[in-house]
Amino acid sequence: MDWKLPIGAQVAADGVNFRVWATEARQVEVVLLDQNDRETAIYELTKDENGYFSRLIGGIGAGTRYMYRLDRDRLRPDPASRFQPADIHGASEVVSPDFDWHDQGWSGLPLEDMTIYELHVGTATPEGTFEALVEKLDYLKSLGISTLEIMPVADFPGQRNWGYDGVDLYAPSSKYGGPVGLKKLVDAAHAHGLAVLLDVVYNHFGPDGNYLRDFSHQYFTHAKKSPWGDAINFSAPAVRQFFVSNVLYWACEFHLDGLRLDATPWILDDSATHILKEMIVRVRQTLPGGRHFVMIAEDDRNNIGMLKSHSEGGYGFDAVWADDFHHQTRSSFAGDNEGYFMDYTGSAADLAETLSKGWFFVGQKSQFSGRYKGTDGSSIDPCHFVYCIQNHDQIGNRAVGDRLNFSIAPDAYRAASALLLLSPYTPLLFQGQEWAASTPFLYFTDHNAELGALVTKGRQEEFSHFSGFSQAAVPDPQAVNTFLQSKLKWDEQSQPEHSPVLTLYRDLLGLRRSSINRENSHRQSFKAQVVDQDAIAMRYHSADEQDLLVIINLKDALNLTLSQTELAGLPEGFRWEPVLTTSDVKYGGQDNLDKMRVTTIQVSGPVGLVFEAVKG
């Protein structure tokens, strides 16, 4: 991929080229530092008409530490630093983009082949590093995962963070292993046939260590506001280049297979070409033909325009997080009804409608927001909607970081898992979900004392109006133990309460690979209907008549005769052969497949049942 980063420190044959945008400065110097942060040399940069300062400095190369001095009195790290070896406030380090890649035959994965596993680098392994994750790739591949989605890695304040407080968008965190560690992980993932997506934050910067205003006030605008303050000023050409280059940086220098863009409604831009559209166009123009690079939006507006092509007037995203499914599922199985859950009944009828249209809100008025929301997504194929029953937000933004399996019975958890993995939508699992992990995923930070106290207070106040919580019950985000509690316990996979769930996930993912394919998961080949007050059916029609029928009972007793169920109709000479029940003994239940070899299904609680059409 013949692309070079146009800003930052670039290694050249005869030295290092430095280039930084600094409209607020009259003078910019590069200050070289040794390993003890002592100044070893100072070089003044030359300013051009667009506010960029640049210079080639000979005799240095990768590994050189440096900072920019603005107007002789403000020493700052590089806004486009590739590596912050100590912390976000200290020296930047020159990094060569070169790496000994072994993935020359890799072309990425199309969205249709993605089963996504979201993880947080710092808590996914005991070591909390990129290289430690390499040791888990065999496991993820054997589980049936095709794609890793890594929570943000842009360097952040302190030693622990979710990543959404990042301030150095080009610098993979030194806490995780820096740029070399990330490249090793991506290279190893590709060798396993796994794609890697990265979660990126383009709507705001963290509150500590963001020095962009020292370089240029034009990075932000008072005219637009986001939940984090002044919005990013995408009308400035240099700001647009900074963010578009970041997309290309991850695609070209790190061989990533796509990005998940955080909170896209707050990427505010009224330019003739929205910055999101420009990002998508540029990355597709830059990458070679046949190279898959998936762009996914986190967007709660249920806006079909996010998924429409540019020629249709849309943004051109490949997929969007569709949270309505999560909210309906959580409401159904766990009974959540506070906050935004007040908009969701979790009924079989509402779940079937969500499955039929991609999301539930297609223009109705939200009780929670008081606004009309959504557009009909039923014309878009299911793979373009990312579904989950858990993710970092929906666990970590709960007061005590409780996973779904903490709140519902094992049979309900198994049924919810089958509903997710046997729907035609692109599924996303959150780390440890597949064995019903016992560890919470809590909100944790490591800010300075003053800011940290505000975060702790804000977290307590956030949940003060929720029933069942006291301020004392909300874990302190700043406490080290809050972070440590969130680390996965991989050894519990073999324990009796976890091993059967892992077996179920392996079998569900295997069934998904073998029986839910590009042909039968198109919108016209899939149907979802209510088949009882608390049960839904999903039917996949195949050209070769190898149809699949999935029945999910959400709650209480179900007495269902297949021959009298509209969605279960079969041509003469065919019958439904049972394939899987989530109540099987091997999954922790009390039944087996033989119980399903009857014309009438009788179950007493939540369950997922799968049948395949066979002749005879």
Side-chain angles (χ1 to χ4, degrees), residues 111-138:
L111 179 68
E112 295 89 341
D113 294 341
M114 287 190 169
T115 300
I116 301 172
Y117 192 92
E118 186 189 23
L119 59 85
H120 176 269
V121 177
T123 58
T125 65
E127 301 86 350
T129 64
F130 297 126
E131 291 196 56
L133 282 170
V134 172
E135 303 303 315
K136 302 300 183 185
L137 296 178
D138 281 334

PDB file of all heavy atoms in Angstrom, residues 111-138:
ATOM      1  N   LEU A 111     -18.020  -8.404   4.955  1.00  0.00           N
ATOM      2  CA  LEU A 111     -18.912  -8.274   6.105  1.00  0.00           C
ATOM      3  C   LEU A 111     -19.751  -9.531   6.314  1.00  0.00           C
ATOM      4  O   LEU A 111     -19.997  -9.953   7.451  1.00  0.00           O
ATOM      5  CB  LEU A 111     -19.818  -7.059   5.897  1.00  0.00           C
ATOM      6  CG  LEU A 111     -20.851  -6.777   6.986  1.00  0.00           C
ATOM      7  CD1 LEU A 111     -20.170  -6.341   8.282  1.00  0.00           C
ATOM      8  CD2 LEU A 111     -21.842  -5.710   6.519  1.00  0.00           C
ATOM      9  N   GLU A 112     -20.180 -10.153   5.226  1.00  0.00           N
ATOM     10  CA  GLU A 112     -21.049 -11.331   5.323  1.00  0.00           C
ATOM     11  C   GLU A 112     -20.399 -12.480   6.080  1.00  0.00           C
ATOM     12  O   GLU A 112     -21.102 -13.364   6.583  1.00  0.00           O
ATOM     13  CB  GLU A 112     -21.440 -11.814   3.915  1.00  0.00           C
ATOM     14  CG  GLU A 112     -22.302 -10.837   3.132  1.00  0.00           C
ATOM     15  CD  GLU A 112     -21.475  -9.846   2.334  1.00  0.00           C
ATOM     16  OE1 GLU A 112     -20.279  -9.664   2.631  1.00  0.00           O
ATOM     17  OE2 GLU A 112     -22.030  -9.240   1.396  1.00  0.00           O
ATOM     18  N   ASP A 113     -19.088 -12.493   6.157  1.00  0.00           N
ATOM     19  CA  ASP A 113     -18.375 -13.586   6.819  1.00  0.00           C
ATOM     20  C   ASP A 113     -17.942 -13.240   8.241  1.00  0.00           C
ATOM     21  O   ASP A 113     -17.205 -14.002   8.866  1.00  0.00           O
ATOM     22  CB  ASP A 113     -17.133 -13.969   5.999  1.00  0.00           C
ATOM     23  CG  ASP A 113     -17.490 -14.565   4.649  1.00  0.00           C
ATOM     24  OD1 ASP A 113     -18.636 -15.018   4.483  1.00  0.00           O
ATOM     25  OD2 ASP A 113     -16.631 -14.553   3.753  1.00  0.00           O
ATOM     26  N   MET A 114     -18.414 -12.112   8.759  1.00  0.00           N
ATOM     27  CA  MET A 114     -17.918 -11.664  10.056  1.00  0.00           C
ATOM     28  C   MET A 114     -18.802 -12.119  11.221  1.00  0.00           C
ATOM     29  O   MET A 114     -20.016 -11.922  11.217  1.00  0.00           O
ATOM     30  CB  MET A 114     -17.787 -10.143  10.077  1.00  0.00           C
ATOM     31  CG  MET A 114     -16.624  -9.637   9.250  1.00  0.00           C
ATOM     32  SD  MET A 114     -16.294  -7.878   9.489  1.00  0.00           S
ATOM     33  CE  MET A 114     -14.701  -7.736   8.644  1.00  0.00           C
ATOM     34  N   THR A 115     -18.156 -12.733  12.185  1.00  0.00           N
ATOM     35  CA  THR A 115     -18.710 -12.977  13.506  1.00  0.00           C
ATOM     36  C   THR A 115     -17.745 -12.286  14.463  1.00  0.00           C
ATOM     37  O   THR A 115     -16.586 -12.686  14.566  1.00  0.00           O
ATOM     38  CB  THR A 115     -18.805 -14.478  13.816  1.00  0.00           C
ATOM     39  OG1 THR A 115     -19.649 -15.103  12.846  1.00  0.00           O
ATOM     40  CG2 THR A 115     -19.372 -14.707  15.205  1.00  0.00           C
ATOM     41  N   ILE A 116     -18.211 -11.244  15.133  1.00  0.00           N
ATOM     42  CA  ILE A 116     -17.315 -10.293  15.792  1.00  0.00           C
ATOM     43  C   ILE A 116     -17.181 -10.601  17.282  1.00  0.00           C
ATOM     44  O   ILE A 116     -18.160 -10.906  17.962  1.00  0.00           O
ATOM     45  CB  ILE A 116     -17.834  -8.856  15.595  1.00  0.00           C
ATOM     46  CG1 ILE A 116     -17.927  -8.539  14.089  1.00  0.00           C
ATOM     47  CG2 ILE A 116     -16.926  -7.848  16.284  1.00  0.00           C
ATOM     48  CD1 ILE A 116     -18.617  -7.210  13.786  1.00  0.00           C
ATOM     49  N   TYR A 117     -15.941 -10.488  17.775  1.00  0.00           N
ATOM     50  CA  TYR A 117     -15.636 -10.682  19.193  1.00  0.00           C
ATOM     51  C   TYR A 117     -15.018  -9.398  19.704  1.00  0.00           C
ATOM     52  O   TYR A 117     -13.880  -9.061  19.370  1.00  0.00           O
ATOM     53  CB  TYR A 117     -14.659 -11.849  19.347  1.00  0.00           C
ATOM     54  CG  TYR A 117     -14.455 -12.363  20.757  1.00  0.00           C
ATOM     55  CD1 TYR A 117     -15.236 -13.401  21.252  1.00  0.00           C
ATOM     56  CD2 TYR A 117     -13.467 -11.839  21.577  1.00  0.00           C
ATOM     57  CE1 TYR A 117     -15.036 -13.918  22.538  1.00  0.00           C
ATOM     58  CE2 TYR A 117     -13.249 -12.335  22.857  1.00  0.00           C
ATOM     59  CZ  TYR A 117     -14.041 -13.371  23.329  1.00  0.00           C
ATOM     60  OH  TYR A 117     -13.835 -13.874  24.602  1.00  0.00           O
ATOM     61  N   GLU A 118     -15.780  -8.643  20.493  1.00  0.00           N
ATOM     62  CA  GLU A 118     -15.287  -7.372  21.023  1.00  0.00           C
ATOM     63  C   GLU A 118     -14.473  -7.625  22.286  1.00  0.00           C
ATOM     64  O   GLU A 118     -14.898  -8.390  23.162  1.00  0.00           O
ATOM     65  CB  GLU A 118     -16.454  -6.434  21.341  1.00  0.00           C
ATOM     66  CG  GLU A 118     -15.980  -5.048  21.766  1.00  0.00           C
ATOM     67  CD  GLU A 118     -17.086  -4.155  22.304  1.00  0.00           C
ATOM     68  OE1 GLU A 118     -18.120  -4.686  22.762  1.00  0.00           O
ATOM     69  OE2 GLU A 118     -16.899  -2.928  22.278  1.00  0.00           O
ATOM     70  N   LEU A 119     -13.339  -6.946  22.389  1.00  0.00           N
ATOM     71  CA  LEU A 119     -12.497  -7.131  23.573  1.00  0.00           C
ATOM     72  C   LEU A 119     -11.796  -5.838  23.953  1.00  0.00           C
ATOM     73  O   LEU A 119     -11.604  -4.942  23.135  1.00  0.00           O
ATOM     74  CB  LEU A 119     -11.478  -8.251  23.348  1.00  0.00           C
ATOM     75  CG  LEU A 119     -10.483  -8.116  22.192  1.00  0.00           C
ATOM     76  CD1 LEU A 119      -9.261  -7.303  22.599  1.00  0.00           C
ATOM     77  CD2 LEU A 119     -10.035  -9.495  21.712  1.00  0.00           C
ATOM     78  N   HIS A 120     -11.433  -5.788  25.224  1.00  0.00           N
ATOM     79  CA  HIS A 120     -10.645  -4.686  25.771  1.00  0.00           C
ATOM     80  C   HIS A 120      -9.259  -5.234  26.066  1.00  0.00           C
ATOM     81  O   HIS A 120      -9.115  -6.179  26.850  1.00  0.00           O
ATOM     82  CB  HIS A 120     -11.304  -4.149  27.049  1.00  0.00           C
ATOM     83  CG  HIS A 120     -10.500  -3.080  27.720  1.00  0.00           C
ATOM     84  ND1 HIS A 120      -9.564  -3.370  28.701  1.00  0.00           N
ATOM     85  CD2 HIS A 120     -10.470  -1.732  27.554  1.00  0.00           C
ATOM     86  CE1 HIS A 120      -9.011  -2.243  29.112  1.00  0.00           C
ATOM     87  NE2 HIS A 120      -9.533  -1.235  28.428  1.00  0.00           N
ATOM     88  N   VAL A 121      -8.246  -4.678  25.458  1.00  0.00           N
ATOM     89  CA  VAL A 121      -6.902  -5.250  25.532  1.00  0.00           C
ATOM     90  C   VAL A 121      -6.431  -5.401  26.973  1.00  0.00           C
ATOM     91  O   VAL A 121      -5.859  -6.422  27.358  1.00  0.00           O
ATOM     92  CB  VAL A 121      -5.898  -4.402  24.726  1.00  0.00           C
ATOM     93  CG1 VAL A 121      -4.485  -4.973  24.866  1.00  0.00           C
ATOM     94  CG2 VAL A 121      -6.294  -4.337  23.257  1.00  0.00           C
ATOM     95  N   GLY A 122      -6.683  -4.400  27.795  1.00  0.00           N
ATOM     96  CA  GLY A 122      -6.153  -4.406  29.155  1.00  0.00           C
ATOM     97  C   GLY A 122      -6.779  -5.423  30.079  1.00  0.00           C
ATOM     98  O   GLY A 122      -6.163  -5.816  31.084  1.00  0.00           O
ATOM     99  N   THR A 123      -8.002  -5.872  29.773  1.00  0.00           N
ATOM    100  CA  THR A 123      -8.691  -6.824  30.661  1.00  0.00           C
ATOM    101  C   THR A 123      -8.913  -8.193  30.028  1.00  0.00           C
ATOM    102  O   THR A 123      -9.338  -9.116  30.718  1.00  0.00           O
ATOM    103  CB  THR A 123     -10.062  -6.269  31.104  1.00  0.00           C
ATOM    104  OG1 THR A 123     -10.859  -6.005  29.936  1.00  0.00           O
ATOM    105  CG2 THR A 123      -9.897  -4.997  31.910  1.00  0.00           C
ATOM    106  N   ALA A 124      -8.628  -8.342  28.744  1.00  0.00           N
ATOM    107  CA  ALA A 124      -8.905  -9.617  28.072  1.00  0.00           C
ATOM    108  C   ALA A 124      -7.927 -10.715  28.473  1.00  0.00           C
ATOM    109  O   ALA A 124      -8.247 -11.903  28.358  1.00  0.00           O
ATOM    110  CB  ALA A 124      -8.886  -9.432  26.557  1.00  0.00           C
ATOM    111  N   THR A 125      -6.731 -10.337  28.925  1.00  0.00           N
ATOM    112  CA  THR A 125      -5.730 -11.309  29.378  1.00  0.00           C
ATOM    113  C   THR A 125      -5.124 -10.813  30.690  1.00  0.00           C
ATOM    114  O   THR A 125      -5.192  -9.622  30.992  1.00  0.00           O
ATOM    115  CB  THR A 125      -4.596 -11.484  28.350  1.00  0.00           C
ATOM    116  OG1 THR A 125      -3.874 -10.240  28.240  1.00  0.00           O
ATOM    117  CG2 THR A 125      -5.146 -11.900  26.985  1.00  0.00           C
ATOM    118  N   PRO A 126      -4.487 -11.701  31.447  1.00  0.00           N
ATOM    119  CA  PRO A 126      -3.826 -11.251  32.680  1.00  0.00           C
ATOM    120  C   PRO A 126      -2.763 -10.193  32.418  1.00  0.00           C
ATOM    121  O   PRO A 126      -2.608  -9.241  33.188  1.00  0.00           O
ATOM    122  CB  PRO A 126      -3.207 -12.535  33.242  1.00  0.00           C
ATOM    123  CG  PRO A 126      -4.043 -13.641  32.686  1.00  0.00           C
ATOM    124  CD  PRO A 126      -4.455 -13.176  31.311  1.00  0.00           C
ATOM    125  N   GLU A 127      -2.024 -10.349  31.306  1.00  0.00           N
ATOM    126  CA  GLU A 127      -0.948  -9.407  30.992  1.00  0.00           C
ATOM    127  C   GLU A 127      -1.492  -8.082  30.457  1.00  0.00           C
ATOM    128  O   GLU A 127      -0.858  -7.039  30.601  1.00  0.00           O
ATOM    129  CB  GLU A 127      -0.003 -10.014  29.956  1.00  0.00           C
ATOM    130  CG  GLU A 127       0.643 -11.313  30.386  1.00  0.00           C
ATOM    131  CD  GLU A 127      -0.219 -12.536  30.080  1.00  0.00           C
ATOM    132  OE1 GLU A 127      -1.413 -12.368  29.696  1.00  0.00           O
ATOM    133  OE2 GLU A 127       0.293 -13.664  30.225  1.00  0.00           O
ATOM    134  N   GLY A 128      -2.635  -8.119  29.798  1.00  0.00           N
ATOM    135  CA  GLY A 128      -3.235  -6.902  29.272  1.00  0.00           C
ATOM    136  C   GLY A 128      -2.472  -6.273  28.138  1.00  0.00           C
ATOM    137  O   GLY A 128      -2.382  -5.050  28.050  1.00  0.00           O
ATOM    138  N   THR A 129      -1.910  -7.089  27.221  1.00  0.00           N
ATOM    139  CA  THR A 129      -1.114  -6.560  26.111  1.00  0.00           C
ATOM    140  C   THR A 129      -1.554  -7.158  24.784  1.00  0.00           C
ATOM    141  O   THR A 129      -2.228  -8.188  24.737  1.00  0.00           O
ATOM    142  CB  THR A 129       0.382  -6.874  26.314  1.00  0.00           C
ATOM    143  OG1 THR A 129       0.569  -8.296  26.279  1.00  0.00           O
ATOM    144  CG2 THR A 129       0.890  -6.310  27.629  1.00  0.00           C
ATOM    145  N   PHE A 130      -1.119  -6.489  23.706  1.00  0.00           N
ATOM    146  CA  PHE A 130      -1.389  -7.001  22.365  1.00  0.00           C
ATOM    147  C   PHE A 130      -0.784  -8.396  22.179  1.00  0.00           C
ATOM    148  O   PHE A 130      -1.428  -9.310  21.655  1.00  0.00           O
ATOM    149  CB  PHE A 130      -0.808  -6.062  21.307  1.00  0.00           C
ATOM    150  CG  PHE A 130      -1.403  -4.686  21.282  1.00  0.00           C
ATOM    151  CD1 PHE A 130      -0.595  -3.549  21.377  1.00  0.00           C
ATOM    152  CD2 PHE A 130      -2.773  -4.501  21.144  1.00  0.00           C
ATOM    153  CE1 PHE A 130      -1.132  -2.275  21.332  1.00  0.00           C
ATOM    154  CE2 PHE A 130      -3.325  -3.223  21.101  1.00  0.00           C
ATOM    155  CZ  PHE A 130      -2.499  -2.106  21.199  1.00  0.00           C
ATOM    156  N   GLU A 131       0.469  -8.542  22.595  1.00  0.00           N
ATOM    157  CA  GLU A 131       1.152  -9.805  22.352  1.00  0.00           C
ATOM    158  C   GLU A 131       0.546 -10.943  23.160  1.00  0.00           C
ATOM    159  O   GLU A 131       0.548 -12.100  22.715  1.00  0.00           O
ATOM    160  CB  GLU A 131       2.647  -9.654  22.638  1.00  0.00           C
ATOM    161  CG  GLU A 131       3.343  -8.751  21.622  1.00  0.00           C
ATOM    162  CD  GLU A 131       4.857  -8.879  21.635  1.00  0.00           C
ATOM    163  OE1 GLU A 131       5.354 -10.003  21.465  1.00  0.00           O
ATOM    164  OE2 GLU A 131       5.529  -7.850  21.814  1.00  0.00           O
ATOM    165  N   ALA A 132      -0.001 -10.646  24.340  1.00  0.00           N
ATOM    166  CA  ALA A 132      -0.665 -11.687  25.110  1.00  0.00           C
ATOM    167  C   ALA A 132      -1.914 -12.188  24.388  1.00  0.00           C
ATOM    168  O   ALA A 132      -2.283 -13.369  24.499  1.00  0.00           O
ATOM    169  CB  ALA A 132      -1.031 -11.170  26.497  1.00  0.00           C
ATOM    170  N   LEU A 133      -2.547 -11.312  23.616  1.00  0.00           N
ATOM    171  CA  LEU A 133      -3.734 -11.726  22.861  1.00  0.00           C
ATOM    172  C   LEU A 133      -3.392 -12.705  21.747  1.00  0.00           C
ATOM    173  O   LEU A 133      -4.251 -13.496  21.327  1.00  0.00           O
ATOM    174  CB  LEU A 133      -4.431 -10.497  22.270  1.00  0.00           C
ATOM    175  CG  LEU A 133      -5.288  -9.682  23.241  1.00  0.00           C
ATOM    176  CD1 LEU A 133      -5.713  -8.381  22.582  1.00  0.00           C
ATOM    177  CD2 LEU A 133      -6.503 -10.482  23.684  1.00  0.00           C
ATOM    178  N   VAL A 134      -2.166 -12.634  21.253  1.00  0.00           N
ATOM    179  CA  VAL A 134      -1.749 -13.575  20.206  1.00  0.00           C
ATOM    180  C   VAL A 134      -1.942 -15.014  20.681  1.00  0.00           C
ATOM    181  O   VAL A 134      -2.333 -15.899  19.904  1.00  0.00           O
ATOM    182  CB  VAL A 134      -0.281 -13.315  19.804  1.00  0.00           C
ATOM    183  CG1 VAL A 134       0.219 -14.402  18.862  1.00  0.00           C
ATOM    184  CG2 VAL A 134      -0.145 -11.934  19.146  1.00  0.00           C
ATOM    185  N   GLU A 135      -1.714 -15.238  21.969  1.00  0.00           N
ATOM    186  CA  GLU A 135      -1.850 -16.589  22.523  1.00  0.00           C
ATOM    187  C   GLU A 135      -3.298 -17.053  22.564  1.00  0.00           C
ATOM    188  O   GLU A 135      -3.562 -18.243  22.751  1.00  0.00           O
ATOM    189  CB  GLU A 135      -1.259 -16.631  23.935  1.00  0.00           C
ATOM    190  CG  GLU A 135       0.200 -16.205  24.016  1.00  0.00           C
ATOM    191  CD  GLU A 135       1.089 -17.050  23.117  1.00  0.00           C
ATOM    192  OE1 GLU A 135       0.918 -18.288  23.123  1.00  0.00           O
ATOM    193  OE2 GLU A 135       1.940 -16.476  22.402  1.00  0.00           O
ATOM    194  N   LYS A 136      -4.260 -16.146  22.387  1.00  0.00           N
ATOM    195  CA  LYS A 136      -5.677 -16.504  22.435  1.00  0.00           C
ATOM    196  C   LYS A 136      -6.282 -16.695  21.049  1.00  0.00           C
ATOM    197  O   LYS A 136      -7.468 -17.031  20.926  1.00  0.00           O
ATOM    198  CB  LYS A 136      -6.468 -15.414  23.178  1.00  0.00           C
ATOM    199  CG  LYS A 136      -5.989 -15.156  24.604  1.00  0.00           C
ATOM    200  CD  LYS A 136      -6.094 -16.395  25.493  1.00  0.00           C
ATOM    201  CE  LYS A 136      -5.676 -16.113  26.919  1.00  0.00           C
ATOM    202  NZ  LYS A 136      -5.660 -17.348  27.750  1.00  0.00           N
ATOM    203  N   LEU A 137      -5.506 -16.488  20.006  1.00  0.00           N
ATOM    204  CA  LEU A 137      -6.054 -16.545  18.654  1.00  0.00           C
ATOM    205  C   LEU A 137      -6.490 -17.947  18.268  1.00  0.00           C
ATOM    206  O   LEU A 137      -7.526 -18.126  17.601  1.00  0.00           O
ATOM    207  CB  LEU A 137      -5.032 -15.998  17.650  1.00  0.00           C
ATOM    208  CG  LEU A 137      -4.671 -14.516  17.825  1.00  0.00           C
ATOM    209  CD1 LEU A 137      -3.620 -14.108  16.807  1.00  0.00           C
ATOM    210  CD2 LEU A 137      -5.904 -13.624  17.708  1.00  0.00           C
ATOM    211  N   ASP A 138      -5.727 -18.966  18.658  1.00  0.00           N
ATOM    212  CA  ASP A 138      -6.137 -20.352  18.380  1.00  0.00           C
ATOM    213  C   ASP A 138      -7.501 -20.627  18.996  1.00  0.00           C
ATOM    214  O   ASP A 138      -8.371 -21.248  18.370  1.00  0.00           O
ATOM    215  CB  ASP A 138      -5.108 -21.341  18.933  1.00  0.00           C
ATOM    216  CG  ASP A 138      -3.890 -21.472  18.040  1.00  0.00           C
ATOM    217  OD1 ASP A 138      -4.012 -21.222  16.823  1.00  0.00           O
ATOM    218  OD2 ASP A 138      -2.812 -21.814  18.560  1.00  0.00           O
TER     219      ASP A 138
END
